[in-house]
Amino acid sequence: MMMMEKQTRANLPMATATVGPSSWRNATIKEIQVSQSCVDKGDKGLDLGRTIDPLPSLRDNCAQQSNTVVHGYVKETRAVLVRLRESFLDTNEEVKSLLRGKEALEKKLEHIRKDIALNKMSTEVRCTRPMRERERDGADTLLERELQHLYHLKKALEAQLRSVQKQLQILDQSRKRLNAVIQERNRVLDLICHAVSSVTGGRTSRTNSGRASRHQPSDKSMMTFGANGGYTQQISFNMSSGTEKRPSPTHQAEERLGTPPSDPLGPYTPEAAAAMEQAREARQRSVALRKEIKDAIENTRKLRDTAHAAVNGGMNRKVAETVTLQQHLTVASGENRHAIHRSQRWYDATEKARYYTVGPEMQSDLEMRERLNRPLVRVYQRHPGTNLPEAQDIIRGAEGLDKSLLTTSRNIGMLQMAQNRLQDDIFHKRAGASVDSSVVRMRRRLANHRWVVGSV
């Protein structure tokens, strides 16, 4: 109807017979056309206004859209915050684990220092042996090698301890950086629920279920980033443990899904990404370091036990050799004593024979049959050339017996000297075996390291 009216007004027929001038008529027609043009523009403006003009509910709609953007951003920030807290807790647990490894390393280092002190005490005690037994032997070589080995293990453990202390500092820096990022991200979460179940869709998070299950796969909740940026990426709120030797299913799923790109104006800022990456690398290095600590402690224990057993075995063999030599010396001493007794009996018998041969000291003590001028000899010597060699034979026999006594006395002196030396050697061997046995007992008694250096 409106279009028809427009056409009617536009095609208004003019009177064929005109009385007024043409200029006057043309001016009127022109005014009508201008008016018609304004009416058309007004109608088009109305139609365009009905199409693009905002509704009266613009304020409410704008507020609702702003609230939706804010709520989406806050939810995404809460998701990032959950992930940051998981990384913070994993880093904190790794710090605790590495501290326990450090304590074990310090304990083993203390044991090595006590073993070094025990080795030095063993050497000092062995120096109290008699001079005859202080000659360098295999036990001294074993003690020196054990000392060198212990010094080498001590240096290796000290280097490992320095690495652990440095890694603890790195973990502490990563933890502080994560805490700063968490505090910064948490500034926009004052008006939203902080419960993790509200993020994970009701599934239990590792934070609520305890850190004991941190090596087990956990459920993942997906969130879409980009309520105010226009990009969408799916992320996992339950991070896989950075302390596992192999990637967990959760970590593998995160690798498949990809890490969302960081946005300086978005929930996942470059600082948050850098802090989480630094913490993850620190945890991985800490896991490898704890494995190295465990291997180093086990290797040190085996090598120390082997060296300790080798020294004790060498000392026991030395004691056995000393006791064996002592027994042989005791047998030789008995044979020597027997020889001394035989020689002394022979000396006594020879001396008695010499007394019988030489005769009494006073002539008045001689019997008639023992005298050189006995009646039978005087009668025999009445003829010429009847001298008897009895006196010369007696003199030569006495001289021979004197020589025998001197030789026997000299042999007895040599036997007695050998006996004294044997007795001294037996005493020294007994003292050396006693010292070595006391060293072995001391090493066995102090092998448990339940003693204080300087109190033994």
Side-chain angles (χ1 to χ4, degrees), residues 205-410:
S205 173
R206 289 182 302 156
T207 306
N208 297 328
S209 61
R211 308 305 297 177
S213 60
R214 57 200 299 266
H215 296 286
Q216 299 178 357
S218 58
D219 295 335
K220 297 185 287 294
S221 175
M222 302 303 173
M223 177 61 68
T224 302
F225 278 97
N228 61 342
Y231 59 88
T232 57
Q233 289 289 340
Q234 291 177 328
I235 65 169
S236 169
F237 296 109
N238 291 329
M239 296 176 57
S240 61
S241 174
T243 59
E244 296 181 3
K245 184 177 181 180
R246 296 180 178 179
S248 65
T250 305
H251 187 68
Q252 293 175 354
E254 286 185 357
E255 291 180 350
R256 289 196 303 269
L257 295 173
T259 304
S262 60
D263 184 5
L265 301 179
Y268 193 61
T269 60
E271 177 64 18
M276 293 180 66
E277 182 64 21
Q278 180 185 2
R280 184 185 64 82
E281 293 178 356
R283 290 196 302 270
Q284 290 179 351
R285 172 57 185 158
S286 178
V287 171
L289 190 58
R290 285 196 289 114
K291 179 67 168 55
E292 294 176 2
I293 291 173
K294 183 178 179 182
D295 295 340
I297 291 176
E298 184 66 21
N299 186 41
T300 301
R301 184 188 64 80
K302 291 181 180 179
L303 294 177
R304 179 262 171 193
D305 292 344
T306 301
H308 190 79
V311 173
N312 287 348
M315 297 286 291
N316 286 327
R317 288 193 297 271
K318 178 62 186 303
V319 172
E321 292 175 2
T322 304
V323 172
T324 301
L325 291 176
Q326 179 185 344
Q327 292 174 352
H328 287 298
L329 287 171
T330 303
V331 173
S333 176
E335 293 177 353
N336 182 277
R337 175 62 63 184
H338 191 197
I340 290 175
H341 290 168
R342 289 198 308 269
S343 298
Q344 187 65 42
R345 285 195 300 270
W346 177 256
Y347 182 87
D348 294 340
T350 303
E351 188 178 20
K352 186 177 292 187
R354 179 180 176 280
Y355 290 154
Y356 289 153
T357 301
V358 174
E361 295 180 357
M362 297 182 65
Q363 185 177 2
S364 60
D365 293 335
L366 290 174
E367 296 180 359
M368 183 58 68
R369 62 182 181 83
E370 297 176 345
R371 294 182 180 183
L372 296 178
N373 57 356
R374 57 188 178 274
L376 180 62
V377 174
R378 289 200 305 268
V379 171
Y380 174 72
Q381 289 180 348
R382 289 176 182 176
H383 289 180
T386 56
N387 294 327
L388 296 176
E390 182 178 357
Q392 290 80 8
D393 292 341
I394 291 173
I395 293 172
R396 285 196 297 270
E399 291 177 354
L401 290 175
D402 288 336
K403 292 180 180 180
S404 178
L405 287 173
L406 182 61
T407 303
T408 303
S409 176
R410 190 175 300 164

